[in-house]
Amino acid sequence: MPKTIRYTLLSLRDLWVSAGPFILLAVALLALAYWWLDPNPPKRVTLATGPAQSAYEEFGKRYAKALAVEGIEVVLKPSEGSAANLQLLREGKVDVGFVQGGTSDYTDQDEEDLASLGSLFVEPLWLFYREDAARKVAAAARAAKAPGARAAGKADPAEDASLSALTQLQGLRVNLGTPGSGVPSLMGKLLESNRIDPATLKISRLEQTPATVAFLGGELDAIVFASAPESLMVQMLLQTPGVKLMNFSQSEAYSRRFAFLTPTRLPRGVVDLAANIPPDDVQLVAPTTSLITRTGTHPALQQLLAQAGNDIHGGAGWFKSAREFPNRDNSELPIAKEAERAIKNGTPVLQRYLPFWVANLVERMWLVMGIIIAVMLPLSRIIPPLYAFRVRSRIFRWYGQLRDIETRVDSSGDNSSTNKALLEELNKLESRAEKITVPLSYTDELYALRANIHLVRKKLLRL
């Protein structure tokens, strides 16, 4: 092996031995910090959505597509709706889920176990009714005022075929959805505020699809949804002849009575400009839907979901302007810190230029890495002296033997046999010294040892 390479390797070996404990300590501290912070999220998250063909299901697919780009698999768990999603979250069977405002009264335990990733969109209360049912209601009302004018219950095509108050639903066949959808709870509060006994309604609890089929077949007079306008059922019913959408003329009053409700308006012609659907502005009340997560869900997943929400729900729509959602308003649960940061600041700078896993690792480890560096920098000052000591010790350890020989030379007097033995011992020492290899920067120490051996030999030969 060439001497230059050998000296270089020797120097690197000494440097590694000197710095090894320091490096191992730094690695151990980093490994401990990584284990404690757990910066990288799991590769799988479960999202509770809703019934088939619902807006929740559609949004769930969009979240799955958004997170798949970062290598995260989103498992979509269908459910009956908002109330079922909340129960799944409470039981820990899902990580995140869509939950509508007013679905439940949250407990102190919920505030500890659950957090909101922001309000995503409003879900208007869509109360669709059949025009023929509305005519019967109008005919019955007029007959009650003037019994002789018209037989009660017989509809006249000329009668007003519009409903504008929940009190007009009494006696009608109304589907409120399954208990897991959250609509029965919401409608129960609205009926109670209107002093309506649910027993005066012919209530059914069918799921969306069979309820819609029964409604279109004339087996139901009214059907209630609470859904975003992206729902296929809503889109279809808005354009079905003979079906009308109830106008909540007291929408402002409802919002004052219930904090989770927002008055909103379906503008004239927004569904179909050419066909002018709806023909007039329709006042609606709308609870806000949030993405709820368990507090134990990995922070990086919460961040990714909140960032995906910015892209999915940030555009303009029927009931919102651009960048109005997601927001931190109308939240019944505390907002998660990661969501608050994502909603306020958008995508972090590092994630705009680096892969997510790298940016996330740096973002979550930088503080600990700074602390480790601050601790290790002072300790690193011992490496150069330790390196120098290790190299020089390879030379200095022979000085002890040389000193012993010199001492015995001084005390030997004129003893030729002793001097001969000392000279032989000195020659062996010199032979060993010639085999010592040190980095080039420390060769002066080696030559000094060999010069001192020569001085002792001269002294010995003089005797």
Side-chain angles (χ1 to χ4, degrees):
M1 182 184 296
K3 289 185 178 180
T4 304
I5 297 178
R6 184 177 65 179
Y7 289 146
T8 301
L9 293 177
L10 179 65
S11 179
L12 290 175
R13 186 189 70 180
D14 290 327
L15 182 61
W16 167 250
V17 172
S18 301
F22 174 84
I23 294 173
L24 290 175
L25 178 60
V27 170
L29 290 175
L30 281 172
L32 181 63
Y34 185 91
W35 171 80
W36 180 55
L37 292 175
D38 188 23
N40 285 329
K43 296 297 184 181
R44 182 172 177 153
V45 61
T46 305
L47 171 62
T49 55
Q53 299 183 336
S54 66
Y56 288 176
E57 182 188 49
E58 176 61 28
F59 285 133
K61 292 177 181 177
R62 297 185 190 179
Y63 276 93
K65 184 177 179 181
L67 268 65
V69 175
E70 307 298 347
I72 308 296
E73 179 189 5
V74 179
V75 179
L76 302 180
K77 186 175 181 62
S79 69
E80 294 180 354
S82 180
N85 291 350
L86 181 58
Q87 187 60 32
L88 289 171
L89 285 164
R90 285 170 170 167
E91 295 173 357
K93 295 181 179 179
V94 296
D95 301 303
V96 286
F98 298 110
V99 178
Q100 182 187 98
T103 294
S104 174
D105 295 324
Y106 291 103
T107 64
D108 293 339
Q109 188 63 42
D110 288 333
E111 294 187 1
E112 292 182 10
D113 297 341
L114 306 176
S116 172
L117 297 181
S119 299
L120 305 181
F121 51 87
V122 293
E123 282 193 287
L125 193 65
W126 307 93
L127 200 161
F128 293 100
Y129 60 91
R130 296 177 61 86
E131 284 186 307
D132 54 0
R135 292 191 184 96
K136 292 178 181 179
V137 170
R142 294 192 181 186
K145 293 180 180 179
R150 188 180 294 110
K154 292 184 179 180
D156 185 335
E159 297 283 3
D160 181 18
S162 298
L163 301 181
S164 59
L166 293 179
T167 53
Q168 295 174 292
L169 296 178
Q170 297 181 80
L172 297 184
R173 299 166 296 174
V174 183
N175 185 77
L176 299 184
T178 60
S181 67
V183 175
S185 175
L186 175 59
M187 282 297 295
K189 295 175 182 178
L190 300 186
L191 293 174
E192 182 181 0
S193 67
N194 282 275
R195 296 193 293 275
I196 298 174
D197 184 354
T200 62
L201 280 66
K202 299 174 183 177
I203 296 175
S204 60
R205 307 282 187 179
L206 301 176
E207 294 183 357
Q208 281 192 8
T209 301
T212 303
V213 172
F215 175 69
L216 295 176
E219 299 173 24
L220 293 172
D221 299 315
I223 185 171
V224 184
F225 295 144
S227 175
E230 286 82 356
S231 169
L232 297 178
M233 294 293 186
V234 171
Q235 296 275 353
M236 182 267 292
L237 289 173
L238 284 171
Q239 302 180 65
T240 300
V243 174
K244 298 187 70 174
L245 178 63
M246 178 173 162
N247 179 59
F248 281 81
S249 57
Q250 298 173 307
S251 60
E252 188 69 33
Y254 280 114
S255 68
R256 301 297 177 88
R257 294 285 298 273
F258 301 100
F260 55 83
L261 289 179
T262 302
T264 188
R265 179 174 60 89
L266 185 68
R268 172 184 175 183
V270 71
V271 178
D272 189 329
L273 287 171
N276 194 32
I277 300 174
D280 300 293
D281 289 353
V282 181
Q283 301 298 324
L284 300 171
V285 292
T288 302
T289 292
S290 301
L291 188 61
I292 305 300
T293 181
R294 292 187 60 80
T295 51
T297 302
H298 196 285
L301 282 178
Q302 296 181 16
Q303 183 187 57
L304 270 180
L305 287 164
Q307 290 172 7
N310 288 339
D311 297 330
I312 294 171
H313 307 287
W318 287 3
F319 302 103
K320 61 178 181 177
S321 56
R323 293 179 295 279
E324 181 180 353
F325 288 94
N327 60 47
R328 295 168 286 173
D329 302 332
N330 302 322
S331 179
E332 298 174 274
L333 288 169
I335 301 291
K337 292 182 180 179
E338 296 294 340
E340 188 166 8
R341 185 174 67 163
I343 293 171
K344 184 178 180 181
N345 302 323
T347 304
V349 175
L350 287 178
Q351 290 187 29
R352 299 173 191 172
Y353 305 101
L354 296 174
F356 169 74
W357 71 271
V358 177
N360 176 69
L361 184 64
V362 173
E363 288 173 9
R364 301 190 185 284
M365 292 285 289
W366 71 267
L367 180 58
V368 173
M369 291 174 65
I371 294 174
I372 292 175
I373 292 172
V375 172
M376 299 304 291
L377 275 178
L379 293 178
S380 67
R381 295 178 182 177
I382 69 173
I383 293 179
L386 189 61
Y387 173 75
F389 172 78
R390 175 172 174 78
V391 174
R392 288 174 176 172
S393 65
R394 198 176 299 143
I395 302 171
F396 290 165
R397 64 180 177 175
W398 299 109
Y399 275 103
Q401 188 175 349
L402 181 62
R403 180 65 179 270
D404 179 65
I405 294 173
E406 185 179 15
T407 302
R408 283 184 285 162
V409 169
D410 292 338
S411 62
S412 66
D414 188 12
N415 191 331
S416 58
S417 61
T418 302
N419 289 349
K420 184 177 180 181
L422 291 175
L423 185 60
E424 184 178 350
E425 190 175 345
L426 191 62
N427 289 336
K428 291 180 180 179
L429 175 61
E430 185 176 27
S431 177
R432 293 187 187 123
E434 289 176 352
K435 296 178 181 179
I436 298 174
T437 54
V438 294
L440 293 176
S441 58
Y442 290 90
T443 52
D444 58 332
E445 305 281 355
L446 179 59
Y447 286 123
L449 172 62
R450 295 169 67 179
N452 289 327
I453 292 173
H454 182 65
L455 289 175
V456 173
R457 179 183 287 108
K458 288 175 64 177
K459 183 177 182 179
L460 184 59
L461 293 174
R462 284 198 303 265
L463 296 178

